[in-house]
């Protein structure tokens, strides 16, 4: 068990104090696991060179244009985790421009991997983008 110290006030107490709480380290120390990654999704994608940042992610592979498989360093206990994504690059606000969106591909969540897709919002064409990211939380 890992001991964590929190500042808290118990019911009936008038002052805040430090409290020690036992939280199993095997579940991230807080009862859940997290994983995140960001990468440059260029068409010549290579995780070794294009990783920007990550924690709890072993690898990201480009499956096809705009579609990436994220492999976790440690399996989640089920595929019922929460994943959120983002994309960035340049200002898409010009004539004929369309914002991009990154989302989880429906049905792709497993305990060890999840697939994300980057697509244009006007015509749903998949695109590789210079900045893509994912954040996952679960047990």
């Amino acid at each position: 068990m890992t001991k964590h110290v929190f500042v808290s006030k118990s019911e009936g107490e008038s002052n805040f104090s430090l409290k020690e709480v036992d939280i199993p380290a095997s579940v991230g120390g807080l009862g859940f696991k997290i994983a995140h990654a960001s990468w440059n999704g260029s068409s010549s994608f290579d995780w070794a060179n294009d990783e920007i940042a990550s924690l709890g992610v072993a690898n990201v592979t480009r499956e096809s244009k705009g579609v990436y498989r994220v492999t976790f360093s440690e399996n989640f206990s089920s595929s019922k985790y929460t994943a959120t994504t983002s994309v960035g690059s340049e200002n898409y606000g010009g004539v004929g421009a369309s914002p991009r969106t990154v989302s989880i591909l429906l049905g792709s969540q497993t305990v060890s991997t999840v697939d994300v897709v980057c697509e244009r919002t006007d015509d749903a064409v998949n695109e590789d983008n210079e900045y893509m990211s994912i954040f996952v939380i679960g047990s």
Side-chain angles (χ1 to χ4, degrees), residues 112-125:
S112 60
T113 65
V114 65
D115 292 349
V116 298
V117 60
C118 177
E119 59 189 357
R120 290 170 46 116
T121 58
D122 62 349
D123 58 11
V125 170

Side-chain angles (χ1 to χ4, degrees), residues 61-81:
T61 55
R62 183 178 183 267
E63 300 297 300
S64 60
K65 185 175 184 179
V67 179
Y68 297 83
R69 176 160 294 151
V70 177
T71 302
F72 307 122
S73 300
E74 184 179 322
N75 288 354
F76 283 86
S77 62
S78 81
S79 61
K80 298 186 184 297
Y81 45 79

Side-chain angles (χ1 to χ4, degrees), residues 8-59:
S8 65
K9 184 168 98 172
S10 297
E11 188 175 333
E13 292 180 352
S14 59
N15 295 318
F16 286 91
S17 62
L18 295 177
K19 305 281 183 183
E20 277 193 357
V21 179
D22 288 327
I23 301 174
S26 62
V27 288
L30 295 174
F32 55 85
K33 293 179 187 176
I34 61 168
H36 79 84
S38 57
W39 63 93
N40 178 349
S42 61
S43 60
S44 60
F45 181 76
D46 176 15
W47 177 245
N49 296 321
D50 296 320
E51 172 189 0
I52 297 169
S54 71
L55 173 71
V57 171
N59 194 24

